[in-house]
Amino acid sequence: MAMKSDYIWFDGQFVPWDEAKVHVLSHALHYGSSVFEGIRAYDTPSGAAVFCLPQHLKRMVNSCRVYRMDIPFSTEELSQAIRDTVVKNDLRSCYIRPLVFRGCGQLGVEPRSCPVQVIVAAWEWGAYLGAEALEQGIDAGVSSWRRMAPDTTPAAVKAGGHYTNSQLIRMEAAEHGYAEGIALDVYGYVSEGSGENIFVVQDGVLYTPPRAASILNGITRQCVMQLAQDAGIPVVEAQIAREQLYLADEIFFSGTAAELTPIRSVDHIVVGPGRRGPITARLQEDFFAIVSGEVPDRHHWLTPVA
Ligand code: PPE
């Protein structure tokens, strides 16, 4: 990933990319005490526009609430910082990463004496699972690592520490030659990928695991369900058994980074005909038509940066 731009917004000011540094005793570095978002901006005929900005801000504020982090900026200030970061770096299509973290104060697990700090970075980031993935689909495998039990760490919260679980899933998948892993929840039902939600098509119906299946309630997931509804495709949020993956007509991942990425095999079992299916293609088409500004933004998903 060619990951660099010129400036990072850091506690209210822009600093050059190479100078955005923290102390090695920052709480977040030791205990994963951070909350973040992954947001995309898209190039449209009327300029760069941020996708689902209010939804991402809301989830970030909610994540901080669970971990009792007081963000030292208002939601309006954060929204402005995000848009300013895109403009300041002269970016059009890009990935935006706001991060709220516990900085350097006292070490020890109780975090509340540490200052809460905020950064916003943005850079160009193409297809998450490879350039061909959006069309060809990817090979995935069911992970031996489960998503967290509901009474351990809160899966719906996008906290840095939770991504140790994602890293285990992702590295194991890579070791097995898969582009991504699919984790089950603690009850053995399908949960999600290391950084994506999952959708399964069977007999024209779109299935996705419910919020109680230890998933991050993806913003792309919500948009996919809306687009399916718009297209008259029935959507069912229900527990998914592992074998439904092998018997599906189509499967795809959704996420900010992954967008809508087809899955062409699971555990080396070919999904449907082994290529992107018609419902996946239709939803991808509708998604990209909106974010590129090709069709009217009927659900008000885009916020212009300028
Ligand atoms: N589940 C997980 C565990 C997850 O990390 C993401 C986003 C999603 C579902 C999809 O959520 P949403 O982006 O709101 O549709 N993963 C982010 C981080 C990826 C990374 O490698 O970093 C992302 O896509 O930005």
Side-chain angles (χ1 to χ4, degrees):
M1 129 175 95
M3 174 181 168
K4 190 158 179 182
S5 60
D6 295 332
Y7 294 98
I8 290 177
W9 187 95
F10 197 160
D11 285 339
Q13 260 149 22
F14 281 107
V15 298
W17 179 282
D18 292 319
E19 286 164 36
K21 293 177 181 171
V22 295
H23 197 276
V24 290
L25 294 183
S26 294
H27 199 274
L29 201 51
H30 296 249
Y31 306 112
S33 34
S34 64
V35 153
F36 68 100
E37 277 301 319
I39 309 174
R40 272 191 194 270
Y42 289 93
D43 196 8
T44 78
S46 47
V50 183
F51 184 65
C52 288
L53 180 55
Q55 292 89 330
H56 282 285
L57 285 167
K58 184 173 178 194
R59 187 170 66 188
M60 190 162 85
V61 167
N62 283 341
S63 293
C64 288
R65 190 184 185 80
V66 174
Y67 278 106
R68 302 172 199 273
M69 295 171 90
D70 294 319
I71 310 177
F73 297 94
S74 68
T75 304
E76 190 36 56
E77 286 170 324
L78 295 172
S79 168
Q80 192 63 50
I82 286 166
R83 285 173 285 150
D84 288 349
T85 303
V86 176
V87 172
K88 179 86 176 170
N89 286 295
D90 209 12
L91 293 161
R92 299 183 75 85
S93 284
C94 63
Y95 185 81
I96 307 163
R97 169 57 56 83
L99 174 80
V100 183
F101 65 100
R102 305 263 195 196
C104 191
Q106 224 169 337
L107 280 190
V109 169
E110 162 65 66
R112 282 174 286 184
S113 66
C114 298
V116 175
Q117 299 185 272
V118 186
I119 66 105
V120 182
W123 62 89
E124 279 177 24
W125 196 357
Y128 186 56
L129 295 164
E132 304 201 315
L134 293 176
E135 212 185 306
Q136 304 297 320
I138 55 130
D139 301 306
V142 174
S143 183
S144 69
W145 294 101
R146 304 283 183 99
R147 289 288 287 165
M148 48 288 248
D151 54 354
T152 56
T153 42
V157 169
K158 201 168 170 69
H162 300 180
Y163 282 79
T164 53
N165 173 259
S166 290
Q167 290 175 58
L168 292 167
I169 294 164
R170 188 66 175 255
M171 289 189 288
E172 184 192 61
E175 291 299 322
H176 291 166
Y178 301 126
E180 180 57 293
I182 299 168
L184 307 179
D185 68 14
V186 75
Y187 305 107
Y189 292 100
V190 173
S191 177
E192 62 179 346
S194 75
E196 312 86 358
N197 294 113
I198 192 165
F199 285 87
V200 172
V201 177
Q202 180 80 67
D203 299 324
V205 178
L206 189 60
Y207 296 91
T208 197
R211 290 171 71 162
S214 294
I215 62 166
L216 183 77
N217 183 18
I219 287 155
T220 322
R221 172 183 182 270
Q222 294 293 332
C223 294
V224 165
M225 291 196 286
Q226 178 67 60
L227 291 175
Q229 196 185 313
D230 295 352
I233 300 161
V235 185
V236 178
E237 282 180 83
Q239 286 172 314
I240 294 175
R242 179 172 179 164
E243 66 273 21
Q244 286 180 263
L245 301 173
Y246 308 135
L247 303 176
D249 298 322
E250 303 177 32
I251 310 180
F252 63 90
F253 279 133
S254 75
T256 299
E259 296 166 317
L260 276 69
T261 301
I263 298 174
R264 65 182 176 194
S265 74
V266 178
D267 296 336
H268 301 294
I269 298 178
V270 172
V271 176
R275 59 188 127 75
R276 178 174 62 187
I279 288 182
T280 307
R282 167 74 199 271
L283 294 170
Q284 271 185 333
E285 207 176 287
D286 293 350
F287 176 84
F288 286 115
I290 291 180
V291 300
S292 65
E294 234 172 79
V295 301
D297 177 22
R298 62 182 181 275
H299 296 297
H300 311 288
W301 286 340
L302 296 172
T303 304
V305 296

